[in-house]
Amino acid sequence: MDMSTASPGATKATLTPSQLRALLVVLCAALALVVAGNSALAIALPDIADDLGADQSQLTWIIDAYALTFAALLLTAGLAADRVGRRTVLVIGLIIFGGASVASAFSPDPEWFVALRALSGVGAAAVFPVTLSALVDAYPEERRGFAIGVWSGVSSAGAVAGSIISGALLEAFWWGSVQLLFGGVALVLILPVLFLVAQNRNPALSLDAVGALWSVVALGGLVYGVVEGPQRGWTDAVTLVALAVGVAGFIAFVVHQLRATVPSLDVRLFTNRGLAAGSIIVTIQFFASLGFFVLSPQYLQIVLEYTPLGAALALLVVPVGVGAGIGASAALSKRLGARVPGSLGLLLMGIGFAVFGRGLLGGLEPSLWVLAGGVLVFGIGFGMGITPGTQLIIDGLPAERRSVASAVNDITREVGGVLGIAVLSSILVASYRDDIAPALDGLPPEIQDAADSGAGAALGIAGAIGPQGEALAVAAREAFAVGLSASMFAGAVVLAVAAVIVVVMAPGSTAVGAFEDASPV
Protein backbone atom coordinates (compact mmCIF):
# COMPACT_ATOMS: atom_id res chain seq x y z
CA MET A 1 0.00 0.00 0.00
CA ASP A 2 1.64 3.24 -1.21
CA MET A 3 0.80 6.18 1.01
CA SER A 4 3.64 8.43 -0.13
CA THR A 5 1.86 11.03 -2.23
CA ALA A 6 -1.68 12.17 -2.78
CA SER A 7 -2.73 14.88 -5.20
CA PRO A 8 -6.14 16.19 -6.16
CA GLY A 9 -8.05 13.50 -7.93
CA ALA A 10 -5.74 10.71 -6.77
CA THR A 11 -7.13 7.61 -5.11
CA LYS A 12 -6.57 7.79 -1.38
CA ALA A 13 -5.02 4.77 0.31
CA THR A 14 -7.44 3.12 2.72
CA LEU A 15 -6.23 2.07 6.15
CA THR A 16 -7.60 -0.98 7.92
CA PRO A 17 -9.62 -0.44 11.13
CA SER A 18 -6.64 -1.47 13.26
CA GLN A 19 -4.35 0.92 11.36
CA LEU A 20 -6.85 3.73 11.83
CA ARG A 21 -6.93 3.10 15.57
CA ALA A 22 -3.13 3.08 15.71
CA LEU A 23 -2.99 6.28 13.66
CA LEU A 24 -5.48 7.94 16.03
CA VAL A 25 -3.40 6.95 19.07
CA VAL A 26 -0.10 8.11 17.55
CA LEU A 27 -1.40 11.45 16.28
CA CYS A 28 -3.28 12.19 19.51
CA ALA A 29 -0.12 11.38 21.49
CA ALA A 30 1.83 13.88 19.37
CA LEU A 31 -0.97 16.39 19.84
CA ALA A 32 -1.01 15.92 23.61
CA LEU A 33 2.75 16.54 23.81
CA VAL A 34 2.65 19.93 22.11
CA VAL A 35 -0.59 21.00 23.86
CA ALA A 36 0.90 20.17 27.25
CA GLY A 37 4.18 21.89 26.37
CA ASN A 38 3.32 24.90 28.52
CA SER A 39 0.93 23.61 31.17
CA ALA A 40 3.43 20.98 32.32
CA LEU A 41 6.10 23.63 32.93
CA ALA A 42 3.71 26.07 34.62
CA ILE A 43 3.57 23.72 37.62
CA ALA A 44 7.38 23.48 37.68
CA LEU A 45 8.18 27.21 37.55
CA PRO A 46 8.96 27.59 41.29
CA ASP A 47 11.53 24.78 41.09
CA ILE A 48 13.02 26.24 37.90
CA ALA A 49 13.36 29.64 39.57
CA ASP A 50 15.22 28.12 42.52
CA ASP A 51 17.53 26.00 40.38
CA LEU A 52 18.38 28.47 37.59
CA GLY A 53 17.98 31.71 39.53
CA ALA A 54 15.34 32.96 37.10
CA ASP A 55 13.51 36.20 37.85
CA GLN A 56 9.81 36.77 37.13
CA SER A 57 10.42 38.16 33.65
CA GLN A 58 12.54 35.14 32.69
CA LEU A 59 9.93 32.76 34.09
CA THR A 60 7.32 34.48 31.96
CA TRP A 61 9.41 34.03 28.83
CA ILE A 62 10.08 30.37 29.59
CA ILE A 63 6.35 29.94 29.01
CA ASP A 64 5.79 32.58 26.35
CA ALA A 65 8.79 31.90 24.10
CA TYR A 66 7.18 28.58 23.22
CA ALA A 67 3.80 30.20 22.53
CA LEU A 68 5.40 32.94 20.41
CA THR A 69 7.22 30.70 17.90
CA PHE A 70 4.37 28.18 17.98
CA ALA A 71 1.73 30.72 16.95
CA ALA A 72 3.94 32.67 14.52
CA LEU A 73 4.92 29.63 12.42
CA LEU A 74 1.67 27.63 12.38
CA LEU A 75 0.40 28.89 9.02
CA THR A 76 3.83 28.52 7.40
CA ALA A 77 4.10 24.96 8.72
CA GLY A 78 0.63 24.15 7.39
CA LEU A 79 1.58 25.44 3.94
CA ALA A 80 4.78 23.38 3.97
CA ALA A 81 2.94 20.22 5.04
CA ASP A 82 0.42 20.50 2.18
CA ARG A 83 3.14 21.00 -0.43
CA VAL A 84 6.20 19.09 0.84
CA GLY A 85 4.37 16.26 2.57
CA ARG A 86 2.56 15.84 5.87
CA ARG A 87 4.61 12.88 7.07
CA THR A 88 7.89 14.69 6.33
CA VAL A 89 6.87 17.85 8.16
CA LEU A 90 5.51 15.87 11.12
CA VAL A 91 8.76 13.91 11.50
CA ILE A 92 10.84 17.08 11.30
CA GLY A 93 8.62 18.69 13.91
CA LEU A 94 8.94 15.74 16.29
CA ILE A 95 12.73 15.76 15.91
CA ILE A 96 12.97 19.49 16.68
CA PHE A 97 10.46 19.40 19.54
CA GLY A 98 11.95 16.25 21.07
CA GLY A 99 15.58 17.28 20.71
CA ALA A 100 15.04 20.80 22.07
CA SER A 101 12.97 19.49 25.00
CA VAL A 102 15.61 16.95 26.01
CA ALA A 103 18.39 19.54 25.71
CA SER A 104 16.44 22.09 27.77
CA ALA A 105 16.44 19.71 30.75
CA PHE A 106 20.17 20.46 31.11
CA SER A 107 20.00 24.25 30.58
CA PRO A 108 22.78 25.99 32.56
CA ASP A 109 20.89 29.28 32.88
CA PRO A 110 17.51 30.88 32.11
CA GLU A 111 18.69 32.36 28.81
CA TRP A 112 19.52 28.94 27.39
CA PHE A 113 16.24 27.58 28.62
CA VAL A 114 14.25 30.37 26.95
CA ALA A 115 16.10 29.84 23.65
CA LEU A 116 15.47 26.09 23.68
CA ARG A 117 11.83 26.65 24.57
CA ALA A 118 11.50 28.89 21.52
CA LEU A 119 13.06 26.12 19.40
CA SER A 120 10.57 23.63 20.89
CA GLY A 121 7.80 25.94 19.72
CA VAL A 122 9.14 25.72 16.17
CA GLY A 123 8.84 21.94 16.32
CA ALA A 124 5.37 22.16 17.86
CA ALA A 125 4.23 24.41 15.01
CA ALA A 126 5.21 21.67 12.54
CA VAL A 127 3.53 18.91 14.55
CA PHE A 128 0.21 20.51 15.42
CA PRO A 129 -1.43 21.10 11.99
CA VAL A 130 -0.60 17.64 10.67
CA THR A 131 -2.16 15.83 13.64
CA LEU A 132 -5.59 17.05 12.54
CA SER A 133 -5.21 17.11 8.75
CA ALA A 134 -3.79 13.57 8.64
CA LEU A 135 -6.73 12.28 10.69
CA VAL A 136 -9.30 14.07 8.54
CA ASP A 137 -7.78 12.63 5.36
CA ALA A 138 -7.40 9.08 6.70
CA TYR A 139 -10.87 8.64 8.20
CA PRO A 140 -13.86 8.02 5.92
CA GLU A 141 -16.42 10.81 5.88
CA GLU A 142 -18.96 8.90 7.95
CA ARG A 143 -16.43 8.48 10.81
CA ARG A 144 -14.65 11.81 10.45
CA GLY A 145 -16.75 13.44 13.16
CA PHE A 146 -15.62 10.74 15.61
CA ALA A 147 -11.95 11.36 14.81
CA ILE A 148 -12.32 15.13 15.18
CA GLY A 149 -14.19 14.60 18.45
CA VAL A 150 -11.36 12.49 19.89
CA TRP A 151 -8.79 14.99 18.61
CA SER A 152 -10.74 17.84 20.20
CA GLY A 153 -11.01 15.98 23.50
CA VAL A 154 -7.26 15.33 23.61
CA SER A 155 -6.50 18.93 22.65
CA SER A 156 -8.61 20.20 25.54
CA ALA A 157 -7.55 17.61 28.13
CA GLY A 158 -3.86 17.79 27.23
CA ALA A 159 -3.25 20.84 29.40
CA VAL A 160 -4.64 19.12 32.49
CA ALA A 161 -2.82 15.88 31.70
CA GLY A 162 0.45 17.77 31.34
CA SER A 163 -0.03 19.42 34.72
CA ILE A 164 -0.78 16.09 36.43
CA ILE A 165 2.21 14.33 34.88
CA SER A 166 4.47 17.24 35.79
CA GLY A 167 3.16 17.32 39.37
CA ALA A 168 3.76 13.59 39.77
CA LEU A 169 7.30 13.83 38.41
CA LEU A 170 8.13 16.74 40.71
CA GLU A 171 7.20 14.63 43.72
CA ALA A 172 10.23 12.40 43.05
CA PHE A 173 12.54 14.10 40.51
CA TRP A 174 13.92 17.49 39.47
CA TRP A 175 12.14 19.81 37.02
CA GLY A 176 14.25 18.57 34.09
CA SER A 177 12.53 15.19 34.26
CA VAL A 178 9.42 16.83 32.76
CA GLN A 179 11.36 17.93 29.69
CA LEU A 180 13.15 14.59 29.38
CA LEU A 181 9.87 12.68 29.38
CA PHE A 182 8.09 14.90 26.86
CA GLY A 183 11.10 15.08 24.55
CA GLY A 184 11.77 11.34 24.77
CA VAL A 185 8.18 10.42 23.92
CA ALA A 186 8.27 12.76 20.91
CA LEU A 187 11.36 11.02 19.55
CA VAL A 188 9.84 7.57 20.12
CA LEU A 189 6.75 8.54 18.10
CA ILE A 190 8.82 9.09 14.96
CA LEU A 191 8.94 5.37 14.08
CA PRO A 192 5.16 4.72 14.07
CA VAL A 193 4.63 8.02 12.24
CA LEU A 194 6.86 6.78 9.40
CA PHE A 195 4.67 3.69 8.98
CA LEU A 196 1.19 5.11 9.58
CA VAL A 197 1.01 8.71 8.34
CA ALA A 198 0.43 9.26 4.62
CA GLN A 199 2.58 11.81 2.84
CA ASN A 200 -0.44 13.42 1.10
CA ARG A 201 1.44 16.21 -0.60
CA ASN A 202 0.54 18.32 -3.59
CA PRO A 203 3.69 19.70 -5.30
CA ALA A 204 1.51 21.98 -7.43
CA LEU A 205 0.56 24.09 -4.43
CA SER A 206 2.48 27.30 -3.89
CA LEU A 207 4.45 27.75 -0.70
CA ASP A 208 3.84 31.51 -1.05
CA ALA A 209 7.05 32.70 0.60
CA VAL A 210 5.88 36.32 0.69
CA GLY A 211 2.59 35.38 2.34
CA ALA A 212 4.41 33.16 4.82
CA LEU A 213 6.76 36.03 5.70
CA TRP A 214 3.88 38.43 6.33
CA SER A 215 2.06 35.84 8.43
CA VAL A 216 5.14 35.41 10.63
CA VAL A 217 5.50 39.20 11.00
CA ALA A 218 1.80 39.58 11.83
CA LEU A 219 1.54 36.75 14.33
CA GLY A 220 4.98 37.35 15.82
CA GLY A 221 4.34 41.06 16.37
CA LEU A 222 0.85 40.61 17.80
CA VAL A 223 1.82 37.76 20.11
CA TYR A 224 4.97 39.52 21.32
CA GLY A 225 3.01 42.69 22.05
CA VAL A 226 0.29 40.81 23.90
CA VAL A 227 2.86 38.87 25.94
CA GLU A 228 4.81 41.99 26.89
CA GLY A 229 1.73 44.12 27.61
CA PRO A 230 1.07 42.88 31.17
CA GLN A 231 4.79 43.02 32.01
CA ARG A 232 5.80 46.38 30.52
CA GLY A 233 2.41 48.08 30.45
CA TRP A 234 0.04 48.48 27.51
CA THR A 235 1.29 52.02 26.77
CA ASP A 236 4.99 51.08 26.86
CA ALA A 237 6.89 51.87 23.64
CA VAL A 238 8.03 48.27 23.10
CA THR A 239 4.49 46.94 23.51
CA LEU A 240 3.02 49.54 21.16
CA VAL A 241 5.70 49.03 18.49
CA ALA A 242 5.25 45.25 18.58
CA LEU A 243 1.47 45.56 18.25
CA ALA A 244 1.86 48.08 15.43
CA VAL A 245 4.23 45.76 13.58
CA GLY A 246 1.75 42.91 14.03
CA VAL A 247 -1.17 44.97 12.71
CA ALA A 248 0.91 46.19 9.75
CA GLY A 249 1.96 42.61 8.99
CA PHE A 250 -1.65 41.45 9.15
CA ILE A 251 -2.78 44.17 6.72
CA ALA A 252 0.09 43.34 4.37
CA PHE A 253 -0.80 39.63 4.53
CA VAL A 254 -4.45 40.30 3.67
CA VAL A 255 -3.53 42.65 0.79
CA HIS A 256 -1.03 40.11 -0.57
CA GLN A 257 -3.57 37.28 -0.42
CA LEU A 258 -6.20 39.39 -2.20
CA ARG A 259 -3.75 40.23 -5.00
CA ALA A 260 -2.14 36.80 -5.34
CA THR A 261 -3.08 34.71 -8.38
CA VAL A 262 -3.04 31.55 -6.24
CA PRO A 263 -3.34 32.67 -2.59
CA SER A 264 -2.01 30.32 0.07
CA LEU A 265 -4.95 31.30 2.30
CA ASP A 266 -7.80 32.89 0.41
CA VAL A 267 -9.03 35.41 2.97
CA ARG A 268 -12.28 35.73 1.01
CA LEU A 269 -13.20 32.33 2.43
CA PHE A 270 -13.74 33.99 5.80
CA THR A 271 -16.94 35.47 4.37
CA ASN A 272 -18.23 31.90 4.69
CA ARG A 273 -20.49 31.91 7.73
CA GLY A 274 -19.28 28.52 8.93
CA LEU A 275 -15.57 29.31 8.74
CA ALA A 276 -16.04 32.70 10.41
CA ALA A 277 -18.23 31.28 13.18
CA GLY A 278 -15.84 28.36 13.76
CA SER A 279 -12.92 30.76 14.10
CA ILE A 280 -14.81 32.81 16.69
CA ILE A 281 -15.80 29.73 18.68
CA VAL A 282 -12.26 28.35 18.86
CA THR A 283 -10.60 31.72 19.50
CA ILE A 284 -12.86 32.64 22.42
CA GLN A 285 -12.85 29.12 23.87
CA PHE A 286 -9.07 29.17 24.13
CA PHE A 287 -9.04 32.80 25.23
CA ALA A 288 -10.94 31.60 28.29
CA SER A 289 -9.46 28.14 28.78
CA LEU A 290 -5.73 28.94 28.55
CA GLY A 291 -6.20 31.94 30.81
CA PHE A 292 -7.95 29.66 33.28
CA PHE A 293 -5.28 26.94 33.10
CA VAL A 294 -2.46 29.42 33.73
CA LEU A 295 -4.14 31.32 36.57
CA SER A 296 -6.14 28.68 38.46
CA PRO A 297 -3.14 26.50 39.46
CA GLN A 298 -1.55 29.61 40.97
CA TYR A 299 -4.72 30.23 42.98
CA LEU A 300 -4.75 26.66 44.23
CA GLN A 301 -1.10 26.84 45.31
CA ILE A 302 -0.94 30.45 46.58
CA VAL A 303 -4.35 30.89 48.20
CA LEU A 304 -5.44 27.36 49.12
CA GLU A 305 -1.83 26.18 49.62
CA TYR A 306 -2.14 22.99 47.54
CA THR A 307 0.97 21.12 46.46
CA PRO A 308 1.78 21.13 42.70
CA LEU A 309 0.38 17.61 42.33
CA GLY A 310 -2.67 18.48 44.43
CA ALA A 311 -3.37 21.52 42.25
CA ALA A 312 -3.09 19.43 39.10
CA LEU A 313 -5.39 16.71 40.45
CA ALA A 314 -7.98 19.31 41.48
CA LEU A 315 -8.30 20.28 37.82
CA LEU A 316 -9.41 16.77 36.84
CA VAL A 317 -12.94 18.11 37.10
CA VAL A 318 -12.33 19.81 33.73
CA PRO A 319 -11.84 16.70 31.53
CA VAL A 320 -14.86 15.07 33.22
CA GLY A 321 -16.96 17.99 32.03
CA VAL A 322 -15.28 18.05 28.61
CA GLY A 323 -16.17 14.41 28.02
CA ALA A 324 -19.82 15.03 28.85
CA GLY A 325 -19.85 18.13 26.67
CA ILE A 326 -18.40 16.34 23.64
CA GLY A 327 -21.05 13.62 23.93
CA ALA A 328 -23.87 16.16 24.18
CA SER A 329 -22.41 18.13 21.27
CA ALA A 330 -22.49 15.12 18.95
CA ALA A 331 -26.18 14.52 19.66
CA LEU A 332 -27.13 18.18 19.27
CA SER A 333 -25.11 18.63 16.07
CA LYS A 334 -26.86 15.75 14.30
CA ARG A 335 -30.28 17.24 15.01
CA LEU A 336 -29.69 21.00 15.06
CA GLY A 337 -26.40 21.74 13.32
CA ALA A 338 -23.45 23.69 14.67
CA ARG A 339 -25.19 26.83 15.89
CA VAL A 340 -26.74 25.32 19.03
CA PRO A 341 -23.77 23.38 20.48
CA GLY A 342 -21.32 26.10 19.42
CA SER A 343 -23.17 28.99 21.04
CA LEU A 344 -24.45 26.96 24.00
CA GLY A 345 -20.90 25.77 24.70
CA LEU A 346 -19.63 29.35 24.92
CA LEU A 347 -22.55 30.33 27.14
CA LEU A 348 -21.94 27.42 29.52
CA MET A 349 -18.26 28.31 29.73
CA GLY A 350 -19.30 31.85 30.67
CA ILE A 351 -21.69 30.55 33.34
CA GLY A 352 -18.91 28.33 34.70
CA PHE A 353 -16.57 31.34 34.89
CA ALA A 354 -19.21 33.39 36.71
CA VAL A 355 -19.91 30.62 39.25
CA PHE A 356 -16.18 30.07 39.82
CA GLY A 357 -15.64 33.83 40.19
CA ARG A 358 -18.46 34.03 42.73
CA GLY A 359 -16.92 31.18 44.71
CA LEU A 360 -13.57 32.99 44.84
CA LEU A 361 -15.14 35.82 46.81
CA GLY A 362 -15.16 33.46 49.79
CA GLY A 363 -11.58 34.58 50.43
CA LEU A 364 -9.32 32.09 52.16
CA GLU A 365 -12.21 29.75 52.97
CA PRO A 366 -14.22 29.43 49.75
CA SER A 367 -16.88 26.81 49.13
CA LEU A 368 -15.03 24.07 47.27
CA TRP A 369 -18.36 22.76 46.00
CA VAL A 370 -19.13 26.09 44.33
CA LEU A 371 -15.66 26.22 42.79
CA ALA A 372 -15.91 22.62 41.55
CA GLY A 373 -19.39 23.27 40.15
CA GLY A 374 -18.15 26.26 38.20
CA VAL A 375 -15.22 24.30 36.80
CA LEU A 376 -17.50 21.39 35.82
CA VAL A 377 -19.93 23.66 33.94
CA PHE A 378 -16.96 25.36 32.26
CA GLY A 379 -15.64 21.96 31.13
CA ILE A 380 -19.02 20.89 29.77
CA GLY A 381 -19.25 24.08 27.75
CA PHE A 382 -15.73 23.66 26.40
CA GLY A 383 -16.42 20.10 25.29
CA MET A 384 -19.75 21.09 23.73
CA GLY A 385 -18.27 23.81 21.51
CA ILE A 386 -14.84 22.52 20.51
CA THR A 387 -15.85 19.90 17.92
CA PRO A 388 -18.36 22.09 15.99
CA GLY A 389 -15.86 24.95 15.99
CA THR A 390 -13.06 22.78 14.61
CA GLN A 391 -15.31 21.08 12.04
CA LEU A 392 -16.59 24.43 10.75
CA ILE A 393 -13.01 25.59 10.15
CA ILE A 394 -11.94 22.35 8.46
CA ASP A 395 -14.97 22.34 6.15
CA GLY A 396 -14.46 25.99 5.26
CA LEU A 397 -11.30 25.32 3.22
CA PRO A 398 -10.69 23.01 0.21
CA ALA A 399 -9.55 19.41 0.78
CA GLU A 400 -6.08 20.01 -0.68
CA ARG A 401 -5.60 22.75 1.92
CA ARG A 402 -6.45 20.58 4.92
CA SER A 403 -3.15 21.31 6.71
CA VAL A 404 -3.72 25.02 6.14
CA ALA A 405 -7.26 24.59 7.53
CA SER A 406 -5.76 22.80 10.53
CA ALA A 407 -3.22 25.61 10.88
CA VAL A 408 -6.03 28.19 10.85
CA ASN A 409 -7.72 26.20 13.61
CA ASP A 410 -4.47 26.09 15.55
CA ILE A 411 -3.70 29.78 15.03
CA THR A 412 -7.09 30.75 16.41
CA ARG A 413 -6.35 28.53 19.43
CA GLU A 414 -2.89 29.92 20.07
CA VAL A 415 -3.66 33.59 19.44
CA GLY A 416 -6.86 33.31 21.47
CA GLY A 417 -4.95 31.58 24.25
CA VAL A 418 -2.15 34.15 24.38
CA LEU A 419 -4.72 36.95 24.40
CA GLY A 420 -6.62 35.23 27.21
CA ILE A 421 -3.51 34.79 29.33
CA ALA A 422 -2.47 38.41 28.80
CA VAL A 423 -5.87 40.07 29.25
CA LEU A 424 -7.07 37.98 32.20
CA SER A 425 -3.66 38.29 33.87
CA SER A 426 -3.75 42.07 33.45
CA ILE A 427 -7.17 42.24 35.08
CA LEU A 428 -5.99 40.02 37.93
CA VAL A 429 -2.87 42.12 38.53
CA ALA A 430 -4.77 45.43 38.46
CA SER A 431 -7.41 44.16 40.90
CA TYR A 432 -4.76 42.56 43.13
CA ARG A 433 -2.87 45.85 43.42
CA ASP A 434 -5.99 47.79 44.31
CA ASP A 435 -7.01 45.28 46.98
CA ILE A 436 -3.61 44.89 48.64
CA ALA A 437 -2.77 48.62 48.67
CA PRO A 438 -4.22 49.32 52.17
CA ALA A 439 -2.16 46.47 53.66
CA LEU A 440 1.08 48.03 52.34
CA ASP A 441 0.69 51.35 54.14
CA GLY A 442 3.54 51.91 56.59
CA LEU A 443 5.83 49.24 55.12
CA PRO A 444 9.26 50.15 53.71
CA PRO A 445 9.19 51.16 50.01
CA GLU A 446 11.23 48.15 48.87
CA ILE A 447 8.78 45.77 50.55
CA GLN A 448 5.83 47.64 49.08
CA ASP A 449 7.32 47.37 45.59
CA ALA A 450 7.96 43.65 45.95
CA ALA A 451 4.51 42.88 47.36
CA ASP A 452 2.85 45.05 44.72
CA SER A 453 4.47 42.98 41.92
CA GLY A 454 2.52 39.83 42.81
CA ALA A 455 1.27 37.50 45.49
CA GLY A 456 4.18 35.12 45.07
CA ALA A 457 6.70 37.84 45.83
CA ALA A 458 4.61 39.07 48.76
CA LEU A 459 4.55 35.60 50.32
CA GLY A 460 8.28 35.27 49.72
CA ILE A 461 9.13 38.33 51.83
CA ALA A 462 6.37 37.92 54.41
CA GLY A 463 8.44 35.59 56.56
CA ALA A 464 11.33 38.05 56.79
CA ILE A 465 9.56 41.15 58.12
CA GLY A 466 8.53 40.09 61.59
CA PRO A 467 5.03 40.44 63.06
CA GLN A 468 3.73 42.31 60.00
CA GLY A 469 4.59 39.36 57.77
CA GLU A 470 1.59 37.23 58.66
CA ALA A 471 -0.82 40.08 57.96
CA LEU A 472 0.90 40.76 54.63
CA ALA A 473 0.68 37.09 53.63
CA VAL A 474 -3.04 36.96 54.41
CA ALA A 475 -3.65 40.20 52.52
CA ALA A 476 -1.73 38.94 49.49
CA ARG A 477 -3.63 35.68 49.34
CA GLU A 478 -6.99 37.42 49.71
CA ALA A 479 -6.03 40.02 47.08
CA PHE A 480 -5.05 37.29 44.63
CA ALA A 481 -8.44 35.63 45.08
CA VAL A 482 -10.21 38.95 44.50
CA GLY A 483 -8.11 39.60 41.39
CA LEU A 484 -8.78 36.17 39.94
CA SER A 485 -12.49 36.65 40.62
CA ALA A 486 -12.45 39.91 38.65
CA SER A 487 -10.73 38.20 35.72
CA MET A 488 -13.26 35.36 35.77
CA PHE A 489 -16.20 37.79 35.62
CA ALA A 490 -14.56 39.63 32.73
CA GLY A 491 -14.03 36.34 30.92
CA ALA A 492 -17.69 35.45 31.49
CA VAL A 493 -18.77 38.65 29.73
CA VAL A 494 -16.51 37.95 26.74
CA LEU A 495 -17.88 34.40 26.45
CA ALA A 496 -21.51 35.55 26.64
CA VAL A 497 -21.00 38.18 23.92
CA ALA A 498 -19.28 35.60 21.70
CA ALA A 499 -22.18 33.18 22.22
CA VAL A 500 -24.61 35.81 20.89
CA ILE A 501 -22.39 36.48 17.85
CA VAL A 502 -22.26 32.76 17.04
CA VAL A 503 -26.05 32.48 17.28
CA VAL A 504 -26.34 35.18 14.62
CA MET A 505 -23.49 34.03 12.39
CA ALA A 506 -23.30 30.22 12.45
CA PRO A 507 -25.26 27.99 10.04
CA GLY A 508 -28.45 26.96 11.79
CA SER A 509 -29.66 23.72 10.24
CA THR A 510 -26.56 22.19 8.67
CA ALA A 511 -25.24 19.20 10.60
CA VAL A 512 -21.61 18.91 11.56
CA GLY A 513 -19.66 17.33 8.73
CA ALA A 514 -21.68 18.92 5.95
CA PHE A 515 -20.93 22.62 6.02
CA GLU A 516 -19.56 23.01 2.54
CA ASP A 517 -22.73 24.68 1.29
CA ALA A 518 -22.93 27.24 4.09
CA SER A 519 -23.87 30.56 2.61
CA PRO A 520 -21.56 33.54 2.89
CA VAL A 521 -22.13 36.32 5.35
Side-chain angles (χ1 to χ4, degrees):
M1 177 174 57
D2 183 10
M3 299 189 298
S4 60
T5 304
S7 58
T11 300
K12 184 173 67 174
T14 302
L15 298 178
T16 66
S18 61
Q19 288 175 321
L20 280 177
R21 286 192 294 270
L23 177 70
L24 184 63
V25 170
V26 169
L27 292 179
C28 284
L31 168 68
L33 288 176
V34 298
V35 166
N38 264 345
S39 63
L41 272 186
I43 294 289
L45 287 180
D47 289 350
I48 294 171
D50 289 341
D51 191 26
L52 298 184
D55 59 27
Q56 187 59 48
S57 176
Q58 290 167 328
L59 290 177
T60 299
W61 272 108
I62 285 172
I63 297 295
D64 290 336
Y66 180 87
L68 177 61
T69 54
F70 193 175
L73 294 173
L74 272 170
L75 182 58
T76 303
L79 292 171
D82 284 333
R83 188 181 191 280
V84 176
R86 292 170 188 167
R87 181 173 61 220
T88 298
V89 170
L90 179 55
V91 168
I92 291 173
L94 288 170
I95 291 172
I96 295 174
F97 176 88
S101 296
V102 169
S104 69
F106 305 100
S107 297
D109 53 51
E111 289 76 15
W112 268 102
F113 200 7
V114 170
L116 289 169
R117 288 285 293 159
L119 184 59
S120 294
V122 174
V127 170
F128 208 139
V130 181
T131 60
L132 181 56
S133 60
L135 277 179
V136 170
D137 273 340
Y139 269 77
E141 187 171 352
E142 65 272 13
R143 298 197 63 205
R144 193 169 293 159
F146 163 77
I148 292 176
V150 173
W151 184 93
S152 299
V154 172
S155 70
S156 59
V160 177
S163 299
I164 293 172
I165 292 171
S166 176
L169 288 172
L170 292 173
E171 292 289 321
F173 306 104
W174 100 114
W175 61 265
S177 62
V178 178
Q179 296 299 89
L180 285 178
L181 177 63
F182 279 65
V185 172
L187 296 175
V188 168
L189 287 176
I190 292 173
L191 184 60
V193 163
L194 290 171
F195 284 97
L196 292 169
V197 177
Q199 190 74 311
N200 283 350
R201 63 188 179 92
N202 185 354
L205 295 174
S206 172
L207 278 177
D208 188 13
V210 175
L213 175 62
W214 284 125
S215 73
V216 171
V217 171
L219 292 169
L222 289 172
V223 172
Y224 185 87
V226 168
V227 167
E228 286 294 288
Q231 303 297 320
R232 296 176 178 268
W234 292 104
T235 58
D236 181 81
V238 172
T239 302
L240 294 175
V241 169
L243 292 174
V245 169
V247 171
F250 176 76
I251 294 172
F253 175 80
V254 171
V255 171
H256 171 74
Q257 295 302 316
L258 290 173
R259 292 178 176 177
T261 305
V262 183
S264 55
L265 177 61
D266 189 350
V267 293
R268 299 175 187 88
L269 289 170
F270 283 91
T271 62
N272 177 283
R273 293 174 60 188
L275 180 60
S279 299
I280 291 172
I281 292 171
V282 175
T283 299
I284 300 304
Q285 280 198 311
F286 281 86
F287 172 95
S289 63
L290 288 194
F292 177 80
F293 283 126
V294 167
L295 299 179
S296 60
Q298 297 180 54
Y299 167 77
L300 293 171
Q301 294 181 69
I302 291 173
V303 179
L304 301 188
E305 299 183 313
Y306 283 26
T307 65
L309 180 58
L313 292 175
L315 294 175
L316 279 176
V317 178
V318 176
V320 172
V322 169
I326 289 175
S329 175
L332 289 172
S333 296
K334 289 179 181 179
R335 297 180 58 188
L336 303 171
R339 176 187 295 170
V340 172
S343 58
L344 183 57
L346 291 172
L347 182 60
L348 287 174
M349 288 179 69
I351 292 172
F353 261 37
V355 172
F356 188 79
R358 179 65 183 84
L360 293 170
L361 296 179
L364 302 185
E365 296 182 359
S367 170
L368 297 182
W369 288 107
V370 173
L371 295 179
V375 174
L376 180 62
V377 174
F378 162 79
I380 293 171
F382 188 94
M384 186 171 291
I386 188 62
T387 300
T390 299
Q391 184 78 61
L392 283 163
I393 292 173
I394 292 297
D395 288 342
L397 288 172
E400 68 271 15
R401 284 300 196 190
R402 284 244 164 88
S403 289
V404 174
S406 178
V408 170
N409 178 66
D410 302 335
I411 289 169
T412 59
R413 292 165 54 106
E414 290 303 309
V415 174
V418 172
L419 282 169
I421 293 170
V423 172
L424 297 182
S425 294
S426 294
I427 294 170
L428 186 154
V429 170
S431 180
Y432 165 85
R433 287 174 174 169
D434 287 342
D435 195 82
I436 200 174
L440 301 182
D441 290 342
L443 295 176
E446 62 274 13
I447 293 178
Q448 290 188 31
D449 291 342
D452 189 62
S453 67
L459 293 176
I461 63 174
I465 61 173
Q468 294 175 300
E470 184 176 350
L472 176 60
V474 170
R477 293 166 62 202
E478 290 180 339
F480 189 93
V482 169
L484 182 57
S485 178
S487 69
M488 292 295 100
F489 285 127
V493 172
V494 172
L495 286 158
V497 171
V500 174
I501 294 174
V502 171
V503 167
V504 174
M505 182 177 292
S509 58
T510 306
V512 171
F515 297 126
E516 290 84 349
D517 59 350
S519 60
V521 173

